[in-house]
Amino acid sequence: DWSQPYPAAPWQLQEYMNSPVLVLRDANWFADFPTSALWAEYLYAYTHSHSVDGVIAFDQHFLVMLLAVLGPLQLDGVEYPISDQNVIAYMRESKNPPTGEMIPADWTRKDFIRKLADAVREKLEGGDQDWPVMAQVLLQAMDQRHLLLQFDDPVISTLLAQRGWDNAIRPGGGDFLMVTDTNIGFNKTNAVVEIGLTYDVDLSDLDSPVGTLTLTHQNNADRNVPCIHWNTGEITGEKSYPIDRCYWSYLRVYKQAGVQLLDATPHRIPAEWMIGQASVPARVDVLDEEQIAGVQAFGTLLVVPGGQTLSTSFRFALPQTVLSPRPGTDELSLHLHLQKQPGTLDHALTIRVHLPKNALIKSIPPGASVQNNDLMLQTSLLTDVRLDVVFSIP
């Protein structure tokens, strides 16, 4: 309803996507889910006589998990059953108009959502389910950030916050890190982008701890597709679901308050790669995230051509509060919390902690290895990662 006074969009959407106002479609811009949910409720009310009592968000992988328990669905007008094995392929194909025939007047490229929702609801309400197994799948989906919940009820909200199922950004004590990629490329190329994270915590000088984050973005799309941000033309088989493209991402890094950026390796974006035909300098933006308490955030624009890999690093001066003395002992504890971005699978993650040479290690996380007081843990961001390293200095 363009007669309504829509709020200004975040500056990144204005500058990089030519989107001057914030509409419901873009309410998920905010990394803090309660903030996104609040905007979704607000913008929904623009075209309805009422708002809603909460917001439930889920990604494609949640449907895979759900159908593995529910079993195949029979959808109206679909000749074959939809299962956990083919649901993603079905959704991608459904965004293409019918070929070789007149396009029905009532055809819309997202009608598959209604068909899936009706079939899932009908099967759930049928009652013939293994509810304990279903409950386990829902818990797993929430822990893995494939399902997010926000309700206006304060009792339920408290429970969701305690379990982290609302995906609010809460740094807490110790060291904190959350990395988010937002596809701003008018495409679905993130489906073929592999992301790896390495985070080094250097405690060799306890008075000046340093954290270094290195990210790699590998775009497995066709390397022969030019980086044209808008009106890219059509590629056979991808009329409504373009994947084989360059990858435009606005990368955000969230750290706890008190962190200072010492150095970074941002990337210059040439003008011909941008919708506005203006180059973007290699810069790191210090972001205003006043709605998130205890956070310092940084952002930068990336473009990764098909068939290429891009590496980006950030080096931070960490506050001494990343180390906590253990009461009644001479031991120090490093607590590190890495929060997963919802909608992602399991980015590869390597964590390294460099302790002083004379440190005596008391406790390390399961799966970690130690050599010469350097600790390394190789894992993935399937869920949030929390670890503690305990040591003492003679």
Side-chain angles (χ1 to χ4, degrees):
D1 181 0
W2 293 114
S3 68
Q4 300 280 1
Y6 281 86
W11 69 263
Q12 296 93 332
L13 298 183
Q14 297 184 48
E15 183 173 335
Y16 299 144
M17 297 192 78
N18 195 27
S19 298
V21 296
L22 185 67
V23 294
L24 182 60
R25 172 197 64 202
D26 298 325
N28 65 345
W29 165 264
F30 306 94
D32 180 72
F33 181 66
T35 302
S36 281
L38 185 63
W39 277 113
E41 288 193 10
Y42 179 81
L43 294 168
Y44 178 87
Y46 268 39
T47 53
H48 296 75
S49 59
H50 57 87
S51 188
V52 295
D53 298 316
V55 178
I56 300 172
F58 59 91
D59 61 8
Q60 295 180 2
H61 191 68
F62 173 66
L63 288 177
V64 174
M65 301 172 70
L66 189 64
L67 293 187
V69 178
L70 280 180
L73 304 174
Q74 192 62 54
L75 305 188
D76 181 33
V78 181
E79 297 179 354
Y80 55 91
I82 303 301
S83 70
D84 59 317
Q85 300 297 311
N86 63 9
V87 63
I88 290 181
Y90 162 73
M91 289 189 291
R92 291 178 179 176
E93 179 59 32
S94 295
K95 294 187 74 172
N96 295 323
T99 57
E101 59 184 82
M102 290 287 292
I103 300 176
D106 61 348
W107 181 85
T108 61
R109 66 190 183 96
K110 293 188 178 181
D111 190 50
F112 68 90
I113 298 175
R114 177 190 59 81
K115 292 181 179 180
L116 279 170
D118 288 347
V120 167
R121 185 179 63 186
E122 181 179 347
K123 202 154 190 178
L124 285 173
E125 292 177 350
D128 186 21
Q129 301 298 329
D130 188 337
W131 292 110
V133 173
M134 178 67 70
Q136 289 300 316
V137 168
L138 294 175
L139 292 172
Q140 182 183 13
M142 289 188 287
D143 286 339
Q144 295 181 2
R145 312 280 188 198
H146 300 301
L147 173 65
L148 306 178
L149 305 176
Q150 180 272 327
F151 296 103
D152 293 347
D153 181 278
V155 176
I156 300 179
S157 296
T158 299
L159 172 63
L160 297 178
Q162 290 173 345
R163 298 300 298 266
W165 292 334
D166 60 352
N167 199 60
I169 300 179
R170 300 184 184 93
D175 198 6
F176 174 81
L177 174 65
M178 182 180 184
V179 177
T180 67
D181 276 87
T182 302
N183 184 339
I184 57 171
F186 304 97
N187 61 41
K188 308 296 181 183
T189 303
N190 46 291
V192 293
V193 174
E194 296 180 32
I195 299 175
L197 300 89
T198 298
Y199 185 56
D200 281 80
V201 181
D202 188 352
L203 301 176
S204 56
D205 181 354
L206 294 179
D207 293 328
S208 302
V210 174
T212 302
L213 170 67
T214 302
L215 299 112
T216 58
H217 289 75
Q218 178 179 323
N219 184 357
N220 295 313
D222 188 343
R223 69 169 50 248
N224 296 313
V225 176
C227 291
I228 304 174
H229 200 193
W230 179 250
N231 287 337
T232 58
E234 302 299 346
I235 294 178
T236 303
E238 293 192 336
K239 186 172 183 180
S240 297
Y241 204 92
I243 290 179
D244 259 331
R245 298 290 194 269
C246 300
Y247 180 54
W248 284 261
S249 171
Y250 191 75
L251 172 70
R252 282 171 281 185
V253 177
Y254 291 87
K255 295 290 295 172
Q256 70 273 25
V259 163
Q260 293 182 343
L261 181 65
L262 298 176
D263 194 14
T265 61
H267 309 277
R268 179 185 178 274
I269 314 300
E272 59 268 24
W273 288 5
M274 299 302 299
I275 185 175
Q277 295 296 294
S279 63
V280 179
R283 73 182 187 215
V284 175
D285 308 311
V286 178
L287 303 179
D288 180 3
E289 298 279 7
E290 291 184 353
Q291 77 277 13
I292 309 175
V295 159
Q296 177 63 65
F298 307 89
T300 190
L301 181 66
L302 305 177
V303 179
V304 189
Q308 296 189 26
T309 299
L310 194 68
S311 178
T312 312
S313 64
F314 303 81
R315 186 166 172 264
F316 304 103
L318 304 176
Q320 292 187 7
T321 51
V322 297
L323 293 171
S324 301
R326 292 169 65 88
T329 72
D330 61 350
E331 298 172 350
L332 295 173
S333 174
L334 167 70
H335 175 73
L336 175 59
H337 174 202
L338 289 95
Q339 185 165 329
K340 179 186 180 182
Q341 178 182 3
T344 59
L345 292 177
D346 52 354
H347 296 334
L349 172 65
T350 298
I351 300 171
R352 298 190 184 98
V353 179
H354 309 285
L355 299 175
K357 291 182 179 180
N358 60 337
L360 298 178
I361 300 175
K362 305 292 186 177
S363 174
I364 64 173
S369 60
V370 177
Q371 184 175 8
N372 299 326
N373 276 16
D374 292 329
L375 177 147
M376 183 172 73
L377 175 65
Q378 291 184 307
T379 182
S380 70
L381 275 171
L382 180 65
T383 63
D384 283 13
V385 172
R386 298 175 184 269
L387 60 86
D388 291 279
V389 179
V390 181
F391 63 96
S392 64
I393 305 295

